[in-house]
Amino acid sequence: MSKETSPLWEVFVRARRGLSHTHVGSLHAPDAELALRNARDVYTRRQEGVSIWVVPASAITASSPDEKDAFFDPAADKVYRHPTFYEVPDGVAHL
Amino acid sequence: MTGTHFEFALGLGDDALIAAQRLGEWTSRAPEMEEDIALANIALDQLGAARLLLTYAGELEGAGRDEDALAYLRDDRQFRNCLLVELPNGDFAVTMAKLFFLSAYQLPLYAALAGCADERLAAIGAKARKESAYHLDHAALWVKRLGDGTEESHRRMQAAVDEVWPYVHELFAADPAAPVDPATLRADFDATVADVLDEATLTRPADGWAPGGGRAGVHTEHLSFLLAEMQVLHRAHPGARW
Amino acid sequence: MYGNDFSAPDDPPGGGLLGEVEAAEAALREAAARARRSGAAPGEDLDAYFADVIEADQKIEPRDWMPDDYRRTLIRQIAQHAHSEIIGMQPEGNWISRAPSLKRKAILLAKVQDEAGHGLYLYAAAETLGIDRDELVELLLSGRQKYSSIFNYPTLTWADVGAIGWLVDGAAIVNQVPLCRCSYGPYARAMIRVCKEESFHQRQGYEILHTLAHGTEGQKAMAQDAVDRWWYPSLAMFGPPDADSTHSAKSMAWKIKRFSNDELRQRFVDMCVGQAEVLGLTLPDPDLRWNDERQAYDYTQPDYDELMQVIKGNGPCNRQRMEHRRRAHTEGAWVREAAAAYAAKRAEKKEKVAA
């Protein structure tokens, strides 16, 4: 497994009908089909998900905490990930 | 009638149990961490189906045997699973070949069972068919990747298919009195196998040697070892609760 | 603030801890809701900016500026944690094939599977710091990064599976619950998810021991033997005494670590005493007794020389665990290569169709 042959994928899960897809984490897989299957196994072991999206992490462009400054890692092409890792209770408050 | 149902439920339950036991052996040994989780999921599905089927078999028999009595207190000559599931795991290609053929048989089997007259078996079939569809999908995905991957993986996958193929014939031995006659599932199985092997650039072996006997309790030498390990603790403490 | 709401002896273990995890999760949302400044102002002193964010109990996120040492410390700690989950599959995995009932087999299989999942969450959290999982795996396989020493002890009987659940997972949770409040966002969030699942593991282990301790004479002896062997190694999981701990001070200042090794160890001991009584099992420490003045139990320290030996690679199973992991990795290489080759072929075909 290396960056080139088994890239990183970001995983989004819709936990129930009526909710939007939420970022739940990331995983490695050589292609989209495997990434989707792995996402099902890794992130919905307790049957949380009814719908899963996987997105190549390299396809995501991330903004910086402060766009005007380049004091943090100047490699702007480097994708930094920000896993959520727990189900954000969508529609939490009285929607 | 009930006797036939008992034998039928026992056979399917034993298939699932022994398949789960073999898949469980992969835990912490899979080629990739994500795959470790996938194999455990499939093992858990098989184990879940085994428990439902063995529990029901015990009730049909009416001799007071529960799932654990059936799993832990029978010897290999009393097991009714097909030979395919008891074969050693081999490398990842052999495991995927076994899983592919098993799920290509279990899927139409459970689907047919879901519509059978026996309510309990129908309920089990309805639940297990969804799981089998996932197992088949997973195994097919790997058969294709290994078959059409590297030269080495192609060689290993073809060798695995060749090694395991003879054991599929036993799965479809006719049993017209059973809730689902396995012979009726063969066409479905053959179509699935042809599609996947073709896409995987693999060759379906010629039919010839067709070992059997599992449903009658005549197994390979492997089963006794598998059971010795599976049953050792349970049998060391007769009557204990766990 | 919290720490005295651990489960009363009659409660199932983990109850109070799960509450703490939920409190940490609420605190995380609250901090987010306070919606503090985002980046540093132009020309602002970066160290001061970082200290300011930490001081305000805000989370550091992946693209924030952070001191190199903070990044290194986190990578080391999160990776070690991830490795521990992956290596930790082995001692319990050892009993999957021999689990004494089908129900126990299913529960154990699911538990070991969870550990693989936790390893993956944690590797992903480490990756947000700019290191790749394959590099971390390489560091583990070459022995340059460690995993928790506890997994270098053997599981000799079925009761060991129960003892690992109760004591080892229990100690891990006491260690990990404060990490749900760690200053680094991805690690804190990963730990919230991990701790929620772990608390079920601990209950399972406790239940196994409870059943054994109330079973036949043989089963009870098996349970006591397991507790005798796992008690001191579990105490050692909290690390060396505070006086000898090298990483503690800085990690405390950075809010990566929130309590000292000795504080957490004491908390664990106090929690276990009542639970052992309910089990009807004896903790193997003749000097264990309530200290009214300290409002805590006095106990015998684990053998830290033994801990150092195990860390150095001289525990009963170090070689076996590493060999097992290396073999799985090596024997899986051709499968990973095949998947990569297949993906490349498909991508090429797609390009041709598009062109």
Side-chain angles (χ1 to χ4, degrees), chain C residues 279-312:
Chain C
L279 288 175
L281 297 174
T282 311
L283 296 175
D285 180 357
D287 296 324
L288 185 72
R289 62 179 58 86
W290 179 252
N291 182 326
D292 217 29
E293 204 173 305
R294 290 202 307 122
Q295 286 293 299
Y297 283 91
D298 291 336
Y299 63 96
T300 305
Q301 293 288 324
D303 180 350
Y304 293 111
D305 292 337
E306 177 182 316
L307 173 66
M308 287 307 142
Q309 279 303 315
V310 181
I311 288 175
K312 279 184 193 149

Side-chain angles (χ1 to χ4, degrees), chain C residues 157-180:
Chain C
T157 72
W158 169 252
D160 289 23
V161 174
I164 287 185
W166 177 42
L167 295 174
V168 175
D169 291 340
I173 295 172
V174 168
N175 247 331
Q176 289 168 8
V177 162
L179 293 176
C180 296

Side-chain angles (χ1 to χ4, degrees), chain B residues 17 20-21 24-25 27-34 36-44 47 50-51 54 67-68 71-72 91-93 141-142 144-150 152-154 156-157 199 226 229-234 237-242, chain C residues 86 89-90 93-107 109-110 112-113 116-120 123 133 137 158 207-208 211-212 214-216 218-219 222 324-325 327-329 331-339 341-343 345-346 349:
Chain B
L17 175 61
Q21 182 76 3
E25 292 173 15
T27 301
S28 79
R29 292 180 173 85
E32 188 62 288
M33 286 176 254
E34 282 86 353
D36 219 298
I37 294 177
L39 291 174
N41 263 344
I42 298 172
L44 281 167
L47 187 52
R51 295 180 62 190
L54 292 181
E67 60 179 43
D68 286 336
Y72 290 96
D91 66 5
F92 188 68
L141 177 151
W142 274 113
K144 290 177 204 168
R145 275 159 183 72
L146 299 180
D148 195 15
T150 63
E152 182 187 6
S153 71
H154 179 85
R156 283 179 186 250
M157 194 65 235
E199 209 186 319
L226 180 149
E229 183 174 339
M230 185 175 90
Q231 298 173 337
V232 60
L233 176 59
H234 185 99
H237 297 263
R241 277 183 57 249
W242 300 98
Chain C
I86 298 300
M89 296 169 72
Q90 293 179 37
N94 181 34
W95 281 92
I96 290 173
S97 68
R98 293 170 292 169
S101 74
L102 297 185
K103 182 182 158 201
R104 290 289 176 205
K105 189 191 288 287
I107 292 169
L109 194 49
V112 176
Q113 184 197 38
H118 295 172
L120 288 182
Y123 280 124
R133 187 171 102 189
V137 167
W158 169 252
E207 193 192 86
I208 287 175
T211 306
L212 293 176
H214 294 78
T216 65
Q219 286 177 306
M222 194 195 286
H324 181 115
R325 193 66 237 139
R327 197 185 318 129
H329 190 74
E331 288 180 359
W334 70 274
V335 176
R336 297 191 297 274
E337 281 158 22
Y342 178 88
K345 277 188 205 174
R346 290 287 141 152
K349 266 187 202 160

Side-chain angles (χ1 to χ4, degrees), chain A residues 53-85:
Chain A
W53 292 344
V54 290
V55 180
S58 61
I60 295 175
T61 308
S63 74
S64 308
D66 187 335
E67 294 284 11
K68 293 188 295 295
D69 290 290
F71 51 72
F72 43 82
D73 193 328
D77 58 334
K78 195 177 202 173
V79 180
Y80 277 78
R81 285 79 64 163
H82 23 85
T84 323
F85 285 122

Side-chain angles (χ1 to χ4, degrees), chain A residues 1-8 10 23-34 38 41-46 48 61-69 71-89 92, chain C residues 25 28-29 38-43 46 49 61-65 71 110 113-115 117-118 120-122 124-135 137 184-187 189-190 192-193 196-197 200-201 329 336 339-340 342-343 346:
Chain A
M1 183 201 73
S2 77
K3 251 182 297 186
E4 295 75 33
T5 56
S6 194
L8 193 72
E10 298 297 338
H23 186 236
V24 295
S26 56
L27 51 77
H28 286 273
D31 60 44
E33 195 186 12
L34 257 182
N38 289 345
D41 292 323
V42 175
Y43 289 104
T44 69
R45 292 200 305 295
R46 295 175 200 280
E48 295 110 335
T61 308
S63 74
S64 308
D66 187 335
E67 294 284 11
K68 293 188 295 295
D69 290 290
F71 51 72
F72 43 82
D73 193 328
D77 58 334
K78 195 177 202 173
V79 180
Y80 277 78
R81 285 79 64 163
H82 23 85
T84 323
F85 285 122
Y86 65 99
E87 312 91 288
V88 175
V92 227
Chain C
E25 195 175 4
L28 191 135
R29 290 222 181 81
S38 49
L46 293 174
Y49 154 76
E61 296 294 345
R63 298 204 64 171
D64 279 323
W65 182 87
R71 190 185 294 274
Q113 184 197 38
D114 272 349
E115 281 157 13
H118 295 172
L120 288 182
Y121 304 159
L122 288 161
E127 283 188 294
T128 64
L129 291 157
I131 188 160
D132 285 295
R133 187 171 102 189
D134 48 338
E135 290 176 58
V137 167
Y184 187 59
Y187 192 26
R189 293 189 289 267
I192 287 172
R193 184 161 179 154
K196 282 183 180 178
E197 296 183 358
F200 295 104
H201 295 177
H329 190 74
R336 297 191 297 274
Y342 178 88
R346 290 287 141 152

Side-chain angles (χ1 to χ4, degrees), chain C residues 126-264:
Chain C
E127 283 188 294
T128 64
L129 291 157
I131 188 160
D132 285 295
R133 187 171 102 189
D134 48 338
E135 290 176 58
L136 295 174
V137 167
E138 190 44 46
L139 286 167
L140 169 68
L141 296 180
S142 64
R144 277 174 294 159
Q145 280 186 341
K146 304 285 184 203
Y147 54 89
S148 178
S149 288
I150 193 76
F151 301 120
N152 291 317
Y153 290 88
T155 48
L156 301 178
T157 72
W158 169 252
D160 289 23
V161 174
I164 287 185
W166 177 42
L167 295 174
V168 175
D169 291 340
I173 295 172
V174 168
N175 247 331
Q176 289 168 8
V177 162
L179 293 176
C180 296
R181 292 171 182 264
C182 165
S183 61
Y184 187 59
Y187 192 26
R189 293 189 289 267
M191 287 320 303
I192 287 172
R193 184 161 179 154
V194 168
C195 283
K196 282 183 180 178
E197 296 183 358
E198 287 283 352
S199 78
F200 295 104
H201 295 177
Q202 198 203 6
R203 285 173 202 214
Q204 283 310 325
Y206 192 79
E207 193 192 86
I208 287 175
L209 283 184
H210 194 272
T211 306
L212 293 176
H214 294 78
T216 65
E217 280 309 307
Q219 286 177 306
K220 189 167 180 186
M222 194 195 286
Q224 184 62 54
D225 169 59
V227 170
D228 289 349
R229 281 181 291 110
W230 288 93
W231 173 249
Y232 285 109
S234 299
L235 291 186
M237 284 175 72
F238 295 92
D242 294 349
D244 307 334
S245 180
T246 42
H247 303 303
S248 278
K250 215 165 206 181
S251 288
M252 297 274 273
W254 281 333
K255 297 186 182 173
I256 292 175
K257 201 176 158 128
R258 300 235 170 195
F259 300 94
S260 77
N261 294 350
D262 288 335
E263 280 175 302
L264 293 172

Side-chain angles (χ1 to χ4, degrees), chain B residues 123-176:
Chain B
I124 294 171
K127 179 178 185 296
R129 70 185 287 187
K130 292 183 208 146
E131 296 166 353
S132 287
Y134 162 68
H135 306 168
L136 178 59
D137 178 80
H138 189 84
L141 177 151
W142 274 113
V143 169
K144 290 177 204 168
R145 275 159 183 72
L146 299 180
D148 195 15
T150 63
E151 235 171 80
E152 182 187 6
S153 71
H154 179 85
R155 178 179 55 74
R156 283 179 186 250
M157 194 65 235
Q158 185 66 58
V161 167
D162 294 349
E163 181 187 327
V164 173
W165 182 255
Y167 294 90
V168 306
H169 307 297
E170 179 192 19
L171 299 171
F172 305 100
D175 183 5

